[in-house]
Amino acid sequence: MMKDAANTALLTVRNLRTYFHTFSGTVRAVDGVSFEIGQGEVMGLVGESGGGKSVVGFSILGLIDSPGKIEGGEILLEGRDLVTAGEDHLRHVRGREISMVFQDPMTSLNPLHTVGRQMDEVLRLHSDLRADARHKACVDMLESVGISRAAERLKAYPHQFSGGMRQRVVIAIAMLANPKLIIADEPTTALDVTIQSQILKLMRAQIADKGASMILITHDLAVVSEMADHITVLYCGNVVERGATRDLIETPAHPYTRGLIDSIPDTSERLDRLSQIPGSVPDIRNLPQGCNFRDRCPRAQALCAQKEPPLTPQHNGLMAACHFPLHPGERL
Amino acid sequence: MFGYLIKRLIQMLLVLWVVSVIVFLMMSFTGDPVFMVVPIDATDAEIAQARRLLGLDQSLLVQYWKFLTSLLQGDFGRSYVFRQPAMTLILERMPATVEMVLVAMALAVVVAIPLGVYAGANPNSRLSRIIMASSLLGISLPGFWVGMVLIYLFAVHWGVFPSSGRGDTAEIFGLRVSLLTRDGWHHIALPAITLSLGTMAILLRMTRAGMMEVSRQDYMKFARAKGATRRDVLYKHGLKNALIPVVTIFGLQLGDLIAFATITETIFSWPGMGKLLIDSIYRADRPVIVVYLMLVALIFVVINFLVDIVYTLIDPRITLK
């Protein structure tokens, strides 16, 4: 459900531009992205691989490494800009205000430190608790993500856990300091299908429990439609459409969103061919003039090659960047 | 663990036996030691007498058998030249070498690890380029040249360090150690620096390569996302993961320096065992050479064993089998 519109935003991203300056040219991975997340909201950030989703996540935490750089825009956390904030301030934001869950639990934990030590590190950094209180907090947290015999498991190393268990540990670490916002970067992509829904349920429960907000970065519209209050669709570093989850899934205005939705296999009907979006993401180093999606778009016309469509209001409160948007009920 | 120890022990005995055979064979081609011990004007009878005394009149096989049987009784043979037990000769000189090598290795680690971490974490900075260029010099400059330059600058030109000898020693647990006296440190400085440069450069480059590899790992970014300081991310999360190859090289270098610090010891007239080896080779003093090389093999086997144990301390996924 979309929360009250008057709700003041927890995080406001305005015109964020993150570029990577490589030998073969400048990659405009994120090029003018804006969105807002209210307190307690879940936002889905959706797009194909290479669409700049993860870069948005890392930009928010100030974890863009050379040759990447945030070139402009604002990232306001409760009104305070993180782009211009210094490393010291960002360190207090990371883990305490905003934490992150990575895609692959097999590689996001340090293989040489016990799970307990990696959890304890968060509390040592972000709380004044004494050692025994920290230990208790870690045990409680580990139990609340569904790991039994938690006190014992704290002494174990990551390689003694399965992939799903490790992702539970990662979630436990992310939730430990009661952050206001969790950025989950494809948190279930690397897991078995049977584990995926468990992890998603766990994350939803944790967030609801703590009243935290979440950015769920994924390419999987099925996942996001179950979890998110509203969705932002990225294509080539730009927002092409955003809106409340239900409206965006049922009546998308942008042909790209429609294509993504049609690519979800429908198990109720047997098809000879899976639906797909023709072509692939263009070379982001030298994007053509006009709409970035036009080469793959069945509705493209002469205008699309000349002018980049701005994000404009559509039906049902959706915003879409398209010269020839779809109307409700219209198919590609 | 017990099975591992047994396996290691058998391996060690095998290595020692092979070394003894090879050295025995090699030495039989390197000239007749008799002429090293008899006077220049010795008569044929005197030479034959000396040969009989040294047991050199018998076939190589018999000589080897005698060496092996007395070895098992704890007798490692006597030097032809010094007329003393070979083992005693070596052990007398060992503390001097070992202490110089330990100082050199400590120096190498203290300098190489922080610089390597820095260069690995900031591969494009100007300082990193300077560090890496210097490390190339450290690898390519020969020890004898560095030693002579150091002597010229610090001993001859500025006169701040002595150019040769071991200086005062103090006795502890029956060993003569120069690390307990001011004068001893004064004397050990130049040879230890000379000895450390090569190892320092190699360890630095290994650390850098490891850190560059590790920096790309997700858990490094995850540690930063937790809010850890840059220093903690590099040293607590990164370095430990980069350390396995560094420890391997450290072990090999340690053994190598203890066994073959010959050149540095010669330049600085350091009374260590490397100099004994060179002198013994000149004089075809086979008993000393055989025992020396077997001891070196033993040192390498023990160091490798310790390195294996250190692996398990660093990485919980490694077990001794």
Side-chain angles (χ1 to χ4, degrees), chain A residues 62-84:
Chain A
L63 290 179
I64 296 295
D65 289 322
S66 174
K69 191 167 179 291
I70 297 179
E71 295 288 340
E74 286 177 319
I75 300 170
L76 303 172
L77 178 69
E78 294 180 320
R80 170 145 194 191
D81 190 4
L82 299 181
V83 173
T84 53

Side-chain angles (χ1 to χ4, degrees), chain A residues 137-154:
Chain A
C138 290
V139 171
D140 291 348
M141 191 68 231
L142 212 51
E143 267 167 5
S144 83
V145 296
I147 293 180
S148 57
R149 294 183 293 126
E152 211 174 300
R153 304 302 278 279
L154 282 179

Side-chain angles (χ1 to χ4, degrees), chain A residues 161-309:
Chain A
F161 288 76
S162 67
M165 286 302 216
R166 284 191 219 189
Q167 197 63 310
R168 285 170 192 268
V169 171
V170 171
I171 292 166
I173 290 174
M175 299 302 301
L176 205 49
N178 278 324
K180 293 168 182 150
L181 176 68
I182 318 283
I183 300 171
D185 188 359
E186 308 252 10
T188 57
T189 306
L191 299 175
D192 285 351
V193 185
T194 46
I195 311 290
Q196 282 185 11
S197 67
Q198 287 178 21
I199 294 292
L200 288 173
K201 271 184 199 142
L202 172 69
M203 295 193 73
R204 190 157 53 186
Q206 287 285 340
I207 284 162
D209 193 37
K210 303 269 164 58
S213 310
M214 178 159 84
I215 299 178
L216 181 62
I217 299 173
T218 180
H219 62 272
D220 190 342
L221 265 176
V223 163
V224 96
S225 63
E226 280 177 41
M227 297 275 292
D229 298 306
H230 57 105
I231 293 175
T232 300
V233 182
L234 284 188
Y235 186 74
C236 292
N238 291 299
V239 176
V240 293
E241 182 161 20
R242 69 161 175 256
T245 300
R246 203 187 151 136
D247 301 318
L248 189 131
I249 297 286
E250 284 178 2
T251 58
H254 200 287
Y256 178 61
T257 314
R258 177 86 254 169
L260 284 180
I261 293 164
D262 289 345
S263 324
I264 304 171
D266 188 346
T267 46
S268 63
E269 51 187 302
R270 191 166 159 75
L271 299 170
D272 291 334
R273 267 186 84 83
L274 293 171
S275 174
Q276 60 172 26
I277 302 174
S280 57
V281 181
D283 183 359
I284 204 161
R285 274 163 303 199
N286 37 40
L287 290 172
Q289 218 189 349
C291 176
N292 293 328
F293 186 59
R294 66 164 196 272
D295 289 340
R296 304 170 70 187
C297 182
R299 295 166 72 86
Q301 297 179 30
L303 176 63
C304 301
Q306 290 154 14
K307 194 166 163 283
E308 195 174 335

Side-chain angles (χ1 to χ4, degrees), chain B residues 294-316:
Chain B
M294 286 179 70
L295 194 68
V296 164
L298 180 71
I299 288 172
F300 269 99
V301 172
V302 169
I303 287 176
N304 272 327
F305 171 69
L306 293 177
V307 163
D308 277 1
I309 290 184
V310 172
Y311 285 167
T312 66
L313 297 179
I314 293 174
D315 193 334

